[in-house]
């Protein structure tokens, strides 16, 4: 059994953290003061791409490596801030020459490679709204998102276009320009109705005057993961740069000489806020790796690239844990000094596993597409309470509330369970759900944004995730958070993954049903079934413990690795499955 707190000795840290997590640091924080770190446009505006790249390219950082783009065989190429500035200028010039206007929507369906960065940064320089899509989406999710976003430009590879877009092209009336690059080596045949990106780049002007966007100009359109329903189109502005900068500095502790690796795909907001913007805004080197997960290769990247700060997700950590400690221990990571995770609750087991096997604990942090950047985090200098997502960052005011009748908020005290609310505004706060004004308005009560996640705050100010409000189970008058029940089941040596749902019950309101997949070497049996129910009762008490348990091969997850409890529930109750466009493996 692990201890409840993972303490840190500040004297052991290789670098002085950017934030020592003192009360003073929070009190002294001001967004206005932080904003001095950004240059602003010569005319007084603000542009995310200018801040991320051009600001550095015009200064001492011109030759510093911005991107280290790796190929599958361990080779790669370095792109400096100066080169990235010029190349993204060229992309902006291409769009301008085509007649694309500021405000138009540029969709980017690219893996993690140079073209992704050129599309995103170049589109922003022209003042377009950029929307990155996940490459593993099939034609239908691409069509839905591009129709909703009225994309007029699409940047993608020839192979992806052939496989996923050609057949839906005529159902995208707003789409005027398709720019293709060839990522398959040799696949250069001209495809009707498309343009060749690299030819156009070669002819384009490398001087470009950035559009006069302001902090309030729309910049990015992101789609939520679709865990709880149809994905929402979330609109962000150029001013988000300040949140990206501040969170890169305080939550991820980025320092000038860092080699940073964010392993998230740009199709999800983590892959842009932290895969693209935060490291560039802080002038550090990012490792860019676009291949599918492979434990051995991931350890090799950490080792060979001398990654210092790594931002990943529970789903990847689970896979690394599954690959075994021996594999991890056959690699060495002397440069690595900070590991963070986001996207789902991080089980305490995983935090300790990091400490024991990688030599560093994993630091959970919380945010969502709507917040645009990290809001609550375990930071370098803080002791970790494994299972907690940490404390609000400087500049973030959080509260635990309930929304009573008539909309007035009730503020809850320590250890009470309620909605996680954030005081608005902050720079990366979303500005719209595309086409759903009423839904957007409903998220705000007075000066507070309600996240839709249920949490509790302990007496030390740490926040604990209870569950999404849609997933929380109400049984015999108790509120049961699925995460607590799942974490407890996962402490059993036979359990690989667990998910719980509430099943309607005439007497209790709902009862808890668990779905469990087993680790390699364990087989489902009545005895194990009874043992797991007993394990749950012993750890959680009869009220909270699952009453029913079913063994499954695998649990339904979104492509970004999030548990889709709503699907388990729909299947269990024989209800329609709803939007499954984000589902990882249809079953
Ligand atoms: P949708 O809104 O379409 O249902 P989604 O909420 O999963 O999808 P994202 O914005 O990608 O889409 O995910 C944010 C959500 O992920 C948070 O609201 C929270 O429920 C969950 N989450 C993120 N980080 C954490 C964390 N550290 N601990 C617990 N949950 C987290
Ligand atoms: Mg959500």
């Amino acid at each position: 059994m692990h201890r409840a707190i993972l303490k840190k000795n500040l004297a052991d840290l290789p670098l002085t953290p950017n934030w020592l997590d003192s009360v003073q640091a929070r009190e002294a924080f001001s967004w206005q003061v932080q904003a001095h770190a950004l240059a602003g446009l010569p005319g007084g505006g603000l542009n995310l791409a200018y801040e991320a790249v051009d600001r550095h390219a015009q200064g001492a950082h011109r030759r510093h490596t911005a991107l280290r783009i790796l190929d599958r065989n361990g080779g790669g190429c370095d792109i400096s801030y100066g080169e990235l500035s010029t190349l993204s200028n060229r992309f902006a010039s291409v769009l301008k020459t085509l007649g694309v206007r500021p405000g138009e929507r540029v969709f980017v369906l690219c893996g993690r490679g140079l073209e992704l960065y050129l599309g995103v940064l170049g589109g922003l320089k022209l003042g377009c709204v950029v929307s990155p899509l996940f490459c593993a989406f099939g034609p239908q999710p691409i069509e839905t998102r591009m129709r909703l976003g009225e994309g007029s430009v699409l940047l993608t590879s020839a192979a992806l276009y052939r496989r996923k877009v050609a057949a839906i092209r005529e159902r995208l009336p707003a789409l005027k320009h398709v720019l293709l690059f060839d990522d398959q080596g040799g696949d250069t045949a001209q495809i009707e109705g498309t343009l060749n990106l690299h030819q156009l780049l070669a002819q384009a002007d490398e001087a470009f005057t950035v559009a006069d966007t302001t902090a309030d100009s729309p910049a990015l359109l992101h789609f939520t993961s679709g865990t709880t329903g149809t994905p929402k189109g979330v609109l962000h502005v150029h001013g988000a740069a300040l949140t990206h900068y501040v969170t890169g500095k305080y939550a991820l502790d980025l320092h000038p000489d860092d080699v940073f690796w964010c392993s998230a795909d740009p199709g999800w907001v983590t892959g842009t806020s932290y895969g693209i913007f935060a490291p560039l805004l802080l002038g550090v080197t990012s490792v860019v790796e676009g291949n599918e997960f492979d434990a051995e290769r991931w350890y090799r990247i950490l080792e060979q690239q001398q990654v210092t700060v790594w931002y990943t997700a529970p789903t990847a950590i689970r896979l690394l844990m599954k690959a075994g400690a021996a594999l991890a221990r056959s690699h060495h990571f002397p440069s690595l000094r900070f590991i963070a995770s986001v996207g789902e609750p991080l089980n305490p087991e995983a935090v300790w596993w990091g400490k024991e096997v990688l030599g560093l604990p994993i630091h959970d942090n919380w945010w969502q597409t709507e917040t645009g950047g990290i809001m609550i985090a375990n930071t370098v200098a803080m002791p970790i309470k494994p299972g907690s997502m940490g404390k609000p960052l400087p500049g973030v005011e959080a509260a635990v509330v309930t929304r009573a009748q008539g909309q007035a908020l009730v503020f809850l005290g320590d250890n009470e369970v309620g909605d996680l609310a954030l005081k608005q505004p902050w720079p990366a706060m979303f500005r719209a759900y595309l086409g759903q004004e009423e839904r957007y308005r409903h998220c705000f009560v007075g000066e507070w944004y309600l996240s839709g996640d249920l949490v509790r705050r302990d007496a030390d100010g740490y926040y604990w995730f209870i569950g999404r409000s849609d997933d929380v189970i109400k049984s015999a008058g108790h509120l049961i958070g699925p995460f607590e029940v799942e974490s407890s089941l996962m402490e059993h040596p036979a359990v690989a993954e667990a998910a719980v749902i509430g099943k309607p019950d005439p007497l209790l309101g709902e009862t808890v049903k668990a779905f469990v997949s087993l680790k390699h070497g364990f087989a489902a049996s009545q005895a194990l079934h009874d043992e797991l129910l007993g394990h749950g009762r012993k750890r959680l008490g009869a009220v909270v413990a699952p009453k029913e348990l079913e063994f499954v091969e695998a649990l339904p997850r979104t492509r970004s690795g999030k548990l889709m409890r709503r699907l388990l529930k729909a299947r269990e109750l024989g209800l329609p499955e709803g939007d499954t466009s984000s589902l990882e493996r249809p079953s």
Side-chain angles (χ1 to χ4, degrees):
M1 193 57 186
H2 293 301
R3 296 179 309 278
I5 296 196
L6 193 151
K7 292 223 168 82
K8 295 179 189 155
N9 186 351
L10 294 188
D12 291 345
L13 298 177
L15 272 179
T16 306
N18 286 328
W19 188 31
L20 285 165
D21 192 34
S22 65
V23 175
Q24 283 153 317
R26 271 187 67 83
E27 279 172 4
F29 182 88
S30 121
W31 286 110
Q32 280 86 353
V33 172
Q34 293 290 332
H36 294 319
L38 304 181
L41 291 172
L46 188 83
N47 184 283
L48 187 44
Y50 181 88
E51 297 300 331
V53 180
D54 296 356
R55 180 168 58 98
H56 301 300
Q58 289 161 12
H61 250 59
R62 183 163 185 79
R63 291 198 169 74
H64 194 73
T65 301
L67 309 176
R68 179 161 304 153
I69 302 172
L70 305 183
D71 61 34
R72 189 182 283 273
N73 309 317
C77 99
D78 283 1
I79 304 287
S80 69
Y81 277 88
E83 289 166 324
L84 192 55
S85 172
T86 312
L87 287 168
S88 53
N89 273 356
R90 281 181 184 266
F91 187 83
S93 298
V94 168
L95 294 183
K96 193 171 175 185
T97 307
L98 291 172
V100 178
R101 310 271 312 144
E104 288 190 40
R105 310 252 168 79
V106 175
F107 277 72
V108 177
L109 178 67
C110 298
R112 276 160 283 182
L114 182 59
E115 289 84 1
L116 164 75
Y117 288 81
L118 303 191
V120 171
L121 297 164
L124 292 173
K125 284 185 174 181
L126 182 61
C128 294
V129 178
V130 176
S131 186
L133 290 176
F134 187 43
C135 289
F137 278 148
Q140 203 184 348
I142 294 172
E143 181 187 334
T144 316
R145 286 159 179 78
M146 286 194 66
R147 282 178 71 95
L148 184 66
E150 297 177 283
S152 65
V153 179
L154 173 68
L155 171 66
T156 189
S157 71
L160 285 171
Y161 181 81
R162 282 205 173 95
R163 282 211 322 272
K164 307 192 172 196
V165 186
I168 56 165
R169 174 87 186 254
E170 61 191 33
R171 293 201 287 280
L172 301 171
L175 181 58
K176 289 186 283 198
H177 312 285
V178 175
L179 298 162
L180 295 189
F181 58 91
D182 172 21
D183 60 352
Q184 301 289 304
D187 188 10
T188 48
Q190 181 65 38
I191 303 174
E192 205 191 325
T194 68
L195 299 160
N196 182 313
L197 172 73
H198 287 288
Q199 256 170 29
L200 293 175
L201 283 177
Q203 296 154 6
D205 197 341
E206 66 176 43
F208 186 83
T209 307
V210 172
D212 54 356
T213 46
T214 70
D216 291 320
S217 306
L220 296 160
L221 173 64
H222 267 298
F223 289 87
T224 60
S225 300
T227 315
T228 54
T230 303
K232 293 153 276 192
V234 170
L235 198 66
H236 287 286
V237 293
H238 283 268
L242 194 54
T243 294
H244 299 154
Y245 173 84
V246 163
T247 52
K249 189 166 157 190
Y250 294 117
L252 299 177
D253 198 46
L254 293 176
H255 283 63
D257 291 328
D258 273 325
V259 176
F260 174 65
W261 183 27
C262 169
S263 45
D265 191 275
W268 315 115
V269 71
T270 309
T272 50
S273 293
Y274 298 97
I276 301 178
F277 299 117
L280 292 176
L281 285 159
L282 282 134
V284 309
T285 299
S286 280
V287 168
V288 180
E289 211 280 334
N291 297 300
E292 67 287 358
F293 176 86
D294 176 86
E296 158 75 39
R297 203 183 58 253
W298 278 36
Y299 286 134
R300 225 176 324 120
I301 291 170
L302 289 172
E303 183 169 25
Q304 290 177 354
Q305 300 303 323
Q306 300 177 17
V307 171
T308 55
V309 178
W310 180 32
Y311 196 18
T312 186
T315 175
I317 294 163
R318 269 193 302 270
L319 290 172
L320 291 176
M321 288 169 78
K322 218 165 155 186
L327 182 63
R329 291 196 172 114
S330 67
H331 295 267
H332 301 281
F333 321 108
S335 306
L336 194 59
R337 55 166 231 281
F338 187 67
I339 310 176
S341 156
V342 72
E344 272 200 299
L346 185 67
N347 305 89
E349 298 310 296
V351 178
W352 288 106
W353 175 85
K355 172 92 179 128
E356 281 152 23
V357 176
L358 303 178
L360 292 168
I362 322 256
H363 296 73
D364 189 18
N365 58 53
W366 177 95
W367 58 292
Q368 44 179 205
T369 311
E370 290 85 340
T371 69
I374 305 170
M375 298 281 112
I376 295 181
N378 289 284
T379 61
V380 179
M382 283 166 56
I384 300 178
K385 294 194 186 186
S388 154
M389 50 205 202
K391 295 185 184 184
L393 286 173
V396 174
E397 208 174 313
V400 185
V401 304
T402 57
R403 191 196 286 237
Q405 295 232 318
Q407 296 272 298
L409 288 186
V410 177
F411 289 80
L412 301 178
D414 291 346
N415 291 315
E416 291 186 290
V417 173
D419 242 299
L420 170 58
L422 302 163
K423 198 168 189 177
Q424 61 147 324
W426 61 96
M429 188 180 89
F430 73 132
R431 301 303 166 92
Y433 279 136
L434 210 60
Q436 300 188 74
E437 247 178 77
E438 179 51 34
R439 185 173 201 165
Y440 182 75
R441 262 201 307 277
H442 192 70
C443 296
F444 295 88
V445 180
E447 20 174 36
W448 293 88
Y449 162 68
L450 272 60
S451 69
D453 283 345
L454 292 180
V455 298
R456 74 179 171 84
R457 181 188 55 240
D458 70 17
D460 297 323
Y462 285 72
Y463 280 71
W464 298 76
F465 184 77
I466 304 295
R468 295 156 180 278
S469 40
D470 293 6
D471 288 340
V472 162
I473 301 161
K474 294 180 196 85
S475 186
H478 296 270
L479 263 190
I480 301 173
F483 174 52
E484 186 189 8
V485 182
E486 290 157 5
S487 285
S488 165
L489 286 170
M490 284 172 68
E491 281 171 26
H492 189 283
V495 176
E497 291 184 276
V500 304
I501 59 161
K503 272 184 80 171
D505 180 279
L507 215 60
L508 300 169
E510 284 185 303
T511 56
V512 180
K513 169 158 185 185
F515 297 83
V516 162
S517 73
L518 295 176
K519 281 190 187 144
H520 204 65
F522 290 89
S525 68
Q526 187 61 42
L528 184 56
H529 172 272
D530 298 348
E531 186 181 321
L532 288 174
L533 286 183
H535 166 93
R537 270 197 307 278
K538 204 156 71 207
R539 302 267 165 133
L540 299 160
V543 175
V544 177
K547 304 250 179 314
E548 258 185 81
L549 185 139
E550 185 177 326
F551 293 112
V552 290
E553 276 302 308
L555 296 169
R557 289 186 180 275
T558 63
R559 292 177 186 278
S560 52
K562 292 163 190 273
L563 264 182
M564 292 174 93
R565 296 183 189 83
R566 71 173 161 98
L567 268 193
L568 288 171
K569 191 159 178 168
R571 289 172 187 171
E572 180 71 25
L573 305 181
L575 299 170
E577 293 195 350
D579 189 307
T580 53
S581 61
S582 301
L583 182 62
E584 182 185 36
R585 38 178 181 238
S587 54

Coordinates of all heavy atoms in Angstrom, one line a residue, residues 3-43:
R3 N 1.9 5.3 0.3 CA 1.6 6.4 1.2 C 0.7 7.4 0.5 O 0.6 7.4 -0.7 CB 2.9 7.1 1.7 CG 3.8 6.2 2.5 CD 5.1 7.0 2.9 NE 5.7 7.6 1.7 CZ 6.5 7.0 0.9 NH1 6.7 5.7 1.0 NH2 7.0 7.6 -0.1
A4 N 0.0 8.2 1.3 CA -1.0 9.1 0.7 C -0.3 10.4 0.1 O -0.9 11.0 -0.8 CB -1.9 9.6 1.8
I5 N 0.9 10.7 0.5 CA 1.6 11.9 -0.1 C 3.0 11.5 -0.6 O 3.7 10.8 0.0 CB 1.7 13.0 0.9 CG1 0.3 13.5 1.4 CG2 2.5 14.2 0.4 CD1 0.3 14.8 2.1
L6 N 3.2 12.0 -1.8 CA 4.6 11.9 -2.4 C 5.3 13.2 -2.2 O 5.0 14.2 -2.8 CB 4.4 11.5 -3.8 CG 5.7 11.0 -4.5 CD1 5.2 10.1 -5.7 CD2 6.5 12.1 -5.1
K7 N 6.2 13.2 -1.2 CA 6.9 14.5 -0.9 C 8.1 14.7 -1.8 O 8.6 13.7 -2.4 CB 7.4 14.4 0.6 CG 6.3 14.4 1.6 CD 6.7 15.3 2.8 CE 5.5 15.5 3.7 NZ 5.3 14.5 4.6
K8 N 8.5 15.9 -2.0 CA 9.7 16.2 -2.8 C 10.7 17.1 -2.0 O 10.2 17.9 -1.2 CB 9.3 17.0 -4.0 CG 8.4 16.2 -4.9 CD 8.0 17.0 -6.1 CE 6.9 16.3 -6.9 NZ 6.1 17.3 -7.6
N9 N 11.9 16.8 -2.3 CA 12.9 17.6 -1.6 C 13.4 18.7 -2.6 O 14.0 18.3 -3.6 CB 14.1 16.7 -1.2 CG 15.1 17.4 -0.3 OD1 15.0 18.7 -0.3 ND2 16.0 16.7 0.2
L10 N 13.1 19.9 -2.4 CA 13.4 20.9 -3.4 C 14.9 21.0 -3.7 O 15.3 21.3 -4.8 CB 13.0 22.3 -2.9 CG 11.5 22.5 -2.8 CD1 11.1 23.9 -2.5 CD2 10.8 22.0 -4.0
A11 N 15.8 20.6 -2.7 CA 17.2 20.6 -2.9 C 17.6 19.6 -3.9 O 18.7 19.7 -4.6 CB 17.9 20.4 -1.6
D12 N 16.8 18.6 -4.1 CA 17.1 17.5 -5.1 C 16.8 17.9 -6.5 O 17.1 17.1 -7.5 CB 16.4 16.2 -4.8 CG 16.9 15.6 -3.5 OD1 18.0 16.0 -3.0 OD2 16.2 14.7 -2.9
L13 N 16.0 18.9 -6.7 CA 15.5 19.2 -8.1 C 16.7 19.8 -8.9 O 17.5 20.6 -8.4 CB 14.4 20.2 -8.1 CG 13.1 19.8 -7.3 CD1 12.1 20.9 -7.3 CD2 12.5 18.5 -8.0
P14 N 16.9 19.3 -10.1 CA 18.0 19.8 -10.9 C 18.0 21.2 -11.3 O 19.0 21.8 -11.6 CB 18.0 18.9 -12.2 CG 16.6 18.3 -12.2 CD 16.1 18.3 -10.8
L15 N 16.8 21.8 -11.3 CA 16.6 23.2 -11.7 C 15.7 23.9 -10.7 O 14.7 23.2 -10.3 CB 16.0 23.3 -13.1 CG 16.8 23.3 -14.4 CD1 15.9 23.4 -15.6 CD2 17.8 24.4 -14.4
T16 N 15.9 25.2 -10.5 CA 14.9 25.8 -9.6 C 13.6 26.0 -10.4 O 13.6 26.5 -11.5 CB 15.4 27.3 -9.3 OG1 16.7 27.1 -8.7 CG2 14.5 27.9 -8.3
P17 N 12.5 25.5 -9.8 CA 11.2 25.5 -10.6 C 10.8 27.0 -10.8 O 11.1 27.9 -10.0 CB 10.2 24.8 -9.6 CG 11.1 24.1 -8.6 CD 12.4 24.8 -8.5
N18 N 10.0 27.1 -11.9 CA 9.5 28.5 -12.2 C 8.5 28.9 -11.2 O 8.2 30.1 -11.0 CB 8.8 28.5 -13.6 CG 9.8 28.4 -14.7 OD1 10.9 28.9 -14.6 ND2 9.5 27.7 -15.8
W19 N 7.9 27.9 -10.5 CA 6.8 28.3 -9.5 C 7.1 27.4 -8.3 O 7.1 26.2 -8.3 CB 5.5 27.9 -10.1 CG 4.3 28.4 -9.2 CD1 4.3 29.5 -8.4 CD2 3.0 27.8 -9.1 NE1 3.1 29.6 -7.8 CE2 2.3 28.6 -8.2 CE3 2.4 26.7 -9.7 CZ2 1.0 28.3 -7.9 CZ3 1.1 26.4 -9.3 CH2 0.4 27.2 -8.4
L20 N 7.3 28.1 -7.2 CA 7.5 27.4 -5.9 C 6.3 27.0 -5.2 O 6.3 26.6 -4.1 CB 8.5 28.1 -5.1 CG 10.0 28.0 -5.6 CD1 10.9 29.1 -5.0 CD2 10.5 26.6 -5.4
D21 N 5.1 27.3 -5.8 CA 3.8 26.9 -5.3 C 3.6 27.6 -3.9 O 3.0 27.0 -3.0 CB 3.7 25.4 -5.1 CG 2.3 25.0 -4.8 OD1 1.4 25.7 -5.3 OD2 2.1 24.0 -4.0
S22 N 4.1 28.8 -3.7 CA 3.8 29.5 -2.5 C 2.5 30.3 -2.6 O 2.1 30.6 -3.7 CB 5.0 30.4 -2.1 OG 5.1 31.4 -3.0
V23 N 2.0 30.6 -1.5 CA 0.8 31.4 -1.5 C 1.1 32.8 -2.1 O 0.4 33.3 -2.9 CB 0.3 31.6 -0.1 CG1 -0.9 32.6 0.0 CG2 -0.1 30.3 0.5
Q24 N 2.3 33.3 -1.8 CA 2.8 34.6 -2.4 C 2.8 34.5 -3.9 O 2.3 35.5 -4.5 CB 4.2 34.9 -1.9 CG 4.2 35.4 -0.5 CD 5.6 35.0 0.0 OE1 6.1 34.0 -0.2 NE2 6.2 36.0 0.7
A25 N 3.2 33.4 -4.5 CA 3.3 33.4 -6.0 C 1.9 33.6 -6.6 O 1.8 34.3 -7.6 CB 3.9 32.1 -6.4
R26 N 1.0 33.0 -6.0 CA -0.4 33.1 -6.5 C -0.9 34.6 -6.3 O -1.5 35.1 -7.2 CB -1.4 32.2 -5.7 CG -1.5 30.8 -6.4 CD -2.6 30.0 -5.7 NE -3.9 30.6 -5.9 CZ -4.6 30.4 -7.0 NH1 -4.2 29.6 -7.9 NH2 -5.8 31.0 -7.1
E27 N -0.6 35.1 -5.1 CA -1.1 36.4 -4.8 C -0.4 37.5 -5.7 O -1.0 38.4 -6.1 CB -0.9 36.8 -3.3 CG -2.0 36.2 -2.5 CD -1.8 36.3 -1.0 OE1 -0.8 36.9 -0.6 OE2 -2.6 35.7 -0.3
A28 N 0.9 37.2 -6.0 CA 1.6 38.2 -6.8 C 1.3 38.1 -8.3 O 1.6 39.0 -9.0 CB 3.1 38.0 -6.6
F29 N 0.6 37.1 -8.7 CA 0.4 36.8 -10.1 C -0.6 37.9 -10.7 O -1.6 38.2 -10.1 CB -0.2 35.4 -10.3 CG -0.4 35.1 -11.7 CD1 0.6 34.5 -12.5 CD2 -1.6 35.4 -12.4 CE1 0.4 34.3 -13.8 CE2 -1.8 35.1 -13.7 CZ -0.8 34.6 -14.4
S30 N -0.2 38.3 -11.9 CA -1.2 39.2 -12.6 C -1.1 38.9 -14.1 O 0.1 38.8 -14.6 CB -0.9 40.7 -12.3 OG -0.6 41.4 -13.4
W31 N -2.2 38.7 -14.8 CA -2.2 38.5 -16.2 C -1.5 39.6 -16.9 O -0.8 39.5 -17.9 CB -3.6 38.2 -16.7 CG -4.1 36.9 -16.3 CD1 -5.2 36.6 -15.5 CD2 -3.7 35.6 -16.8 NE1 -5.4 35.3 -15.4 CE2 -4.5 34.6 -16.2 CE3 -2.7 35.2 -17.7 CZ2 -4.4 33.3 -16.4 CZ3 -2.6 33.8 -18.0 CH2 -3.4 32.9 -17.3
Q32 N -1.8 40.9 -16.4 CA -1.2 42.1 -17.1 C 0.3 42.0 -17.1 O 1.0 42.3 -18.1 CB -1.7 43.4 -16.4 CG -3.0 43.8 -16.8 CD -4.1 43.2 -15.9 OE1 -3.8 42.3 -15.1 NE2 -5.3 43.6 -16.0
V33 N 0.9 41.6 -15.9 CA 2.3 41.6 -15.8 C 2.9 40.5 -16.8 O 3.8 40.7 -17.5 CB 2.8 41.3 -14.4 CG1 4.3 41.1 -14.3 CG2 2.4 42.6 -13.5
Q34 N 2.2 39.3 -16.7 CA 2.7 38.2 -17.6 C 2.6 38.6 -19.1 O 3.4 38.1 -19.9 CB 1.8 36.9 -17.4 CG 1.9 36.3 -16.0 CD 3.3 35.7 -15.8 OE1 3.9 35.2 -16.7 NE2 3.7 35.6 -14.5
A35 N 1.6 39.4 -19.4 CA 1.4 39.8 -20.8 C 2.7 40.5 -21.4 O 2.9 40.5 -22.6 CB 0.2 40.6 -21.0
H36 N 3.5 41.1 -20.5 CA 4.7 41.7 -21.0 C 5.7 40.8 -21.7 O 6.5 41.2 -22.4 CB 5.5 42.4 -19.8 CG 4.7 43.5 -19.2 ND1 4.0 44.4 -20.0 CD2 4.5 43.9 -17.9 CE1 3.4 45.3 -19.2 NE2 3.7 45.0 -18.0
A37 N 5.5 39.4 -21.4 CA 6.4 38.5 -22.0 C 6.1 38.4 -23.5 O 6.9 37.9 -24.3 CB 6.2 37.1 -21.4
L38 N 4.9 38.8 -23.9 CA 4.5 38.7 -25.3 C 4.9 40.0 -26.0 O 4.9 41.1 -25.3 CB 3.0 38.4 -25.5 CG 2.5 37.1 -24.8 CD1 1.0 36.9 -25.1 CD2 3.3 35.9 -25.3
A39 N 5.2 40.0 -27.3 CA 5.6 41.2 -28.0 C 4.5 42.1 -28.5 O 4.5 43.3 -28.5 CB 6.5 40.8 -29.1
G40 N 3.4 41.4 -28.9 CA 2.3 42.2 -29.6 C 2.8 42.5 -31.0 O 4.0 42.5 -31.3
L41 N 1.8 42.8 -31.8 CA 2.1 43.2 -33.2 C 2.5 44.6 -33.3 O 2.1 45.4 -32.4 CB 0.9 42.9 -34.1 CG 0.5 41.5 -34.3 CD1 -0.8 41.4 -35.0 CD2 1.6 40.7 -35.1
P42 N 3.3 45.0 -34.3 CA 3.7 46.4 -34.4 C 2.5 47.4 -34.3 O 2.6 48.4 -33.6 CB 4.4 46.5 -35.7 CG 4.8 45.1 -36.0 CD 3.9 44.2 -35.3
G43 N 1.4 47.0 -34.8 CA 0.2 47.9 -34.8 C -0.6 47.8 -33.5 O -1.6 48.5 -33.4

